[in-house]
Amino acid sequence: MLTALARDLAAPLAANGSFLIKPGVGLMVWTLLVFGLTMVLLSKLAFPRISAALERRQKAIEESIDTAERTRAEAEQILAEYRQRLQEARAQADEIIQRARQTAEVQEREAKERGQEIVAEASQRAQREIEAATKRALEELRNEVADLTITATEKVTRKALDPEDQKRLVEEALREMDFSGLSSGASNN
Amino acid sequence: MNATETGGLPPRPAPEEARIPAPHPTDDPAPKSSVKRKLLIALGVYLAGLIALIAIYGFKGHRNELFKPQNEFKLESWVDLGIFSINKAVLYLFIAAALTCVTMIYIARRMQQRPNKVQAAVEALFRLMHDNITASAMDERMAAKWFPFIGTLFLFILFSNLVGYIPLPTNTENEINVFGLQIPSFSLYAATANLSVPLVLALTVFVSYTVEGIRAKGPIGYLKGLIPGGVQGGMAVPIFFLEVLSNLMRILSLTIRLFANILAGHLIILFMAGALAVILGSAWLGWFTLPFGIILFAFEVGLVAALQAFIFATLTAIYLGGAVAKDH
């Protein structure tokens, strides 16, 4: 059916359509003129402008890329410098800390030694003061004992003692009394 | 809910489920089924129309001997200037040339650093013409020289082909009466569907590359260059004549490729869009072939028009590049 249909349709086309494949000189000339005019107009007014615009954009893109690359290089350089400085700063900080630590240790040691010295000195001074106080107290006690001894002896004997007797009595009484415990107890305190 | 209804208390917040927004119409899988439903409706209408036309007018039609589809391409003289008479083809040439120039110049004058969609499309077209078609077939200096010719060829053929798919009131053989005014009926026609247009363009290409070849190598050198490298002795003579013939055949191949593709495209659209039904007198056939006509129309507009322009321009660039190449 399709073949028959094609034959039916092709027959009139072949019979009456010879003008379809017959070139016309007039139309060819018109085509040439119109095409030529189009080419002139496009090559004068359209193509150069489009080309120039595209070149401008290309240039702008290249410049942008160059700028971006330059900026990136600068940024990398700045970053490298920053890193170097940071490293230096860290090294300096470490050095400062180390130095401070050493100084602190020295100062601590010195302070400790000085403290020990002060404590020792204070202790010695206290010892001396205690000893002096003890000595004074013993002296006072001795005197008191002597007075009491004399007084007691006078009361017992109902007579006044001459200075030689007083001296002998006191010395005997004091000899019999042991003050070493007081003295050692005071020094221990 | 007002204060009275709530007993003077502030209104309670709406329940959680009430505050959830309703699903958007585009969120559900409705579009797929919607497209399917539309397609089914279209198919139903198509089949119903087919059945109705067969029922009303019958299956077998009466052959129409008067209608001749080829007459759609017949050129009637509108303004008599002898052989330079203005006819439909000349009008289409003018329209194509005017559209080419206006479009390109308009866009060229409004080129911006940040292009819009139209400018981007034109730039892509320009790069295609310049980089892909012209510069790929010849050196930079020659490309700069011949780009206007090749670019114009591409655009001129492209616009001529595309204008041919716009129905215009140019069929003076069949006029329609609109409120007493006789106006030509609408038809599809393309200047490139007329043999003369592709032929003269092909001849221009032939002359161009021959002249360029002779200019580059001299007449004898150009003729000698037609013989492929490595062919010597007695074989050179027949090969030379074959190459000359091949060169002349380029005119025919360029012409017929463009002419036949566009003419065939128009004819098949014409047949599918109703001419077949008119010839065979079957109303249902027109309804039956209409979808195929629409598909073919889209195919011709979307692919064939640009492809033929691209092939013509590319072959022109190749012939020009080949004409000056050392080893032709």
Side-chain angles (χ1 to χ4, degrees), chain A residues 13 19 24 26 30 49 57, chain B residues 70 83-84 109 113 123 196:
Chain A
L13 271 178
F19 63 86
W30 273 120
R49 289 183 189 204
R57 173 143 1 106
Chain B
Q70 69 271 27
I83 60 164
F84 301 112
R109 291 169 77 93
Q113 196 70 6
E123 284 178 9
S196 306

Side-chain angles (χ1 to χ4, degrees), chain A:
Chain A
M1 182 190 167
L2 282 173
T3 319
L5 184 65
R7 197 176 53 243
D8 285 356
L9 292 171
L13 271 178
N16 305 314
S18 60
F19 63 86
L20 287 174
I21 50 167
K22 194 174 162 188
V25 178
L27 184 56
M28 288 171 77
V29 173
W30 273 120
T31 306
L32 211 55
L33 282 173
V34 170
F35 175 76
L37 185 67
T38 306
M39 190 169 78
V40 169
L41 287 174
L42 291 183
S43 58
K44 294 282 178 203
L45 301 173
F47 291 154
R49 289 183 189 204
I50 296 173
S51 184
L54 289 177
E55 274 174 22
R56 270 201 307 277
R57 173 143 1 106
Q58 182 76 19
K59 207 173 169 185
I61 290 167
E62 281 170 7
E63 277 174 6
S64 299
I65 291 169
D66 289 347
T67 309
E69 278 179 0
R70 271 202 305 276
T71 310
R72 192 169 59 85
E74 280 173 15
E76 278 178 0
Q77 195 183 341
I78 289 167
L79 185 65
E81 282 176 14
Y82 166 75
R83 279 183 179 152
Q84 195 182 344
R85 282 183 188 175
L86 192 66
Q87 211 167 352
E88 286 172 6
R90 273 183 187 155
Q92 282 177 359
D94 287 346
E95 196 185 329
I96 288 166
I97 290 167
Q98 186 69 20
R99 210 182 299 152
R101 195 172 286 152
Q102 284 171 355
T103 310
E105 281 172 3
V106 168
Q107 284 180 350
E108 188 187 357
R109 197 166 56 243
E110 285 175 359
K112 206 179 274 178
E113 285 171 3
R114 198 160 57 244
Q116 283 171 351
E117 281 173 10
I118 290 166
V119 168
E121 197 179 324
S123 175
Q124 284 171 3
R125 193 167 56 237
Q127 185 75 26
R128 280 198 302 273
E129 284 173 0
I130 289 165
E131 281 175 3
T134 308
K135 203 176 273 180
R136 269 197 314 275
L138 282 174
E139 196 62 35
E140 282 173 8
L141 189 61
R142 194 186 291 263
N143 292 336
E144 198 70 27
V145 167
D147 288 346
L148 281 171
T149 305
I150 291 164
T151 308
T153 306
E154 282 176 349
K155 279 185 178 173
V156 170
T157 58
R158 297 191 182 268
K159 65 173 186 180
L161 296 174
D162 57 5
E164 278 185 16
D165 289 339
Q166 285 180 8
K167 190 179 176 186
R168 186 178 45 82
L169 276 171
V170 168
E171 280 174 359
E172 280 174 2
L174 288 173
R175 257 200 308 272
E176 286 171 7
M177 287 183 75
D178 185 13
F179 292 103
S180 62
L182 284 172
S183 174
S184 66
S187 65
N188 285 341
N189 290 333

